[in-house]
Amino acid sequence: MRIRISWIRFALLNCALLQGAEVKLGVRAPELDAKDCRGTAVRLADNRQKRVAILLAQAQGGLLTVEVRDDACRQLEPLDVVVLFLQGNTDQDRRLLGPARSWTILIDSSGVVRRILAGQVLTGSHLAVFVKVWQEGKGVFEGSCARCHGADGALDICEDVKPLVGIGNRFTAAEIRAKLRIGELNDREVLVRGQFLKRHEVDAVIAYISGL
Ligand code: HEC
């Protein structure tokens, strides 16, 4: 019996350790050392920059070449986004990277992880689009959804409104889409909760609320 309890303890401790370095939607980015565009060491969770940051992480020997890094910095500079790189050469990095080995992660100005693409380091215009979609979704949410769900999606004062916080960890984008009960209108527009939205605005708001 004693052995069993210590095993459970051991398992729980392990979970806690792993969770410490976890990258999870809606949760503060873990404490990790990354490099910025100038090659300066930056503490990931510091977010001294107080701006949206993109973290590109790749296992050692991956494709985070100087060219890829320069391109990422060029793509995101006009959007006023900080770019951070993780080269995957420490134990801590390896634990964070896990089986996916490469990641593109959006961290908001308060240091919270808002978008995750596992298995890929986005490059070129795809990287800028990754940020722009989230920014557009934020605008749609604030204009069309926040009055019922609250600015941070946590509100449940309106009758029957479920808090949206953490929804991206509970449901896939397709499941969230189904919950919106979208009313079909025409090629460009749909109806969501009594409001006209463009189709790309719906995609954007789903990407945004997934990170609440
Ligand atoms: C007029 C108030 C209102 C507005 C505006 C509104 N919602 Fe909601 N939302 C609700 C209510 C009420 C529910 C819970 C009951 C239901 O699903 O109908 C809900 C549920 C949801 C759910 C399902 C949550 C879950 O866990 O099942 C999602 C996702 C959602 N809303 C997203 C949005 C998005 C995105 C927008 C903006 C485009 C939006 N809502 C605008 C009132 C609103």
Side-chain angles (χ1 to χ4, degrees), residues 140-141 143-149 158-164 167 170-171 175-177 179-181 192-195 197 201-202 205-206 209:
V140 175
F141 185 80
S144 303
C145 322
R147 69 189 166 93
C148 289
H149 289 284
C158 303
E159 210 178 330
D160 290 337
V161 173
K162 292 179 196 156
L164 299 181
I167 194 165
R170 298 192 292 273
F171 302 106
E175 287 166 341
I176 295 175
R177 184 177 291 272
K179 284 174 176 288
L180 291 181
R181 299 206 215 107
V192 180
R193 309 260 168 196
Q195 286 152 112
L197 292 184
E201 290 177 327
V202 176
V205 85
I206 292 171
I209 63 173

Side-chain angles (χ1 to χ4, degrees), residues 30 45 54 58 109 129 131 141 164 173 175:
I54 282 287
Q58 190 135 51
S109 55
V129 168
V131 177
F141 185 80
L164 299 181
E175 287 166 341

Side-chain angles (χ1 to χ4, degrees), residues 14-212:
N14 252 346
C15 276
L17 282 176
L18 284 176
Q19 260 167 17
E22 202 180 17
V23 172
K24 196 174 171 191
L25 286 170
V27 175
R28 272 191 79 84
E31 298 280 342
L32 284 170
D33 293 309
K35 294 267 171 67
D36 67 9
C37 280
R38 274 185 240 105
T40 313
V42 194
R43 221 51 191 135
L44 193 58
D46 277 0
N47 202 31
R48 283 184 219 116
Q49 59 276 355
K50 299 276 175 245
R51 286 189 273 153
V52 168
I54 282 287
L55 173 72
L56 296 178
Q58 190 135 51
Q60 205 168 16
L63 295 172
L64 261 185
T65 59
V66 177
E67 289 77 21
V68 169
R69 281 182 277 160
D70 285 352
D71 174 65
C73 296
R74 240 192 340 265
Q75 290 288 339
L76 297 180
E77 202 172 56
L79 301 178
D80 198 28
V81 170
V82 176
V83 197
L84 302 169
F85 304 99
L86 208 68
Q87 291 284 24
N89 43 12
T90 67
D91 279 351
Q92 217 180 18
D93 292 5
R94 278 189 280 276
R95 205 179 314 140
L96 170 102
L97 284 161
R101 293 178 64 80
S102 48
W103 301 78
T104 303
I105 296 164
L106 188 150
I107 301 165
D108 77 1
S109 55
S110 62
V112 176
V113 174
R114 298 299 187 185
R115 271 200 102 177
I116 302 176
L117 181 67
Q120 210 182 335
V121 164
L122 284 179
T123 54
S125 59
H126 297 291
L127 186 57
V129 168
F130 186 73
V131 177
K132 283 183 190 161
V133 164
W134 181 81
Q135 287 171 332
E136 182 186 15
K138 188 174 194 291
V140 175
F141 185 80
E142 284 163 0
S144 303
C145 322
R147 69 189 166 93
C148 289
H149 289 284
D152 52 4
L155 209 67
D156 56 2
I157 56 162
C158 303
E159 210 178 330
D160 290 337
V161 173
K162 292 179 196 156
L164 299 181
V165 173
I167 194 165
N169 296 316
R170 298 192 292 273
F171 302 106
T172 63
E175 287 166 341
I176 295 175
R177 184 177 291 272
K179 284 174 176 288
L180 291 181
R181 299 206 215 107
I182 295 171
E184 294 295 330
L185 289 175
N186 55 46
D187 287 356
R188 282 171 298 115
E189 280 182 316
V190 293
L191 204 58
V192 180
R193 309 260 168 196
Q195 286 152 112
F196 295 96
L197 292 184
K198 308 238 165 51
R199 288 181 187 274
H200 64 86
E201 290 177 327
V202 176
D203 296 339
V205 85
I206 292 171
Y208 179 75
I209 63 173
S210 297
L212 286 175

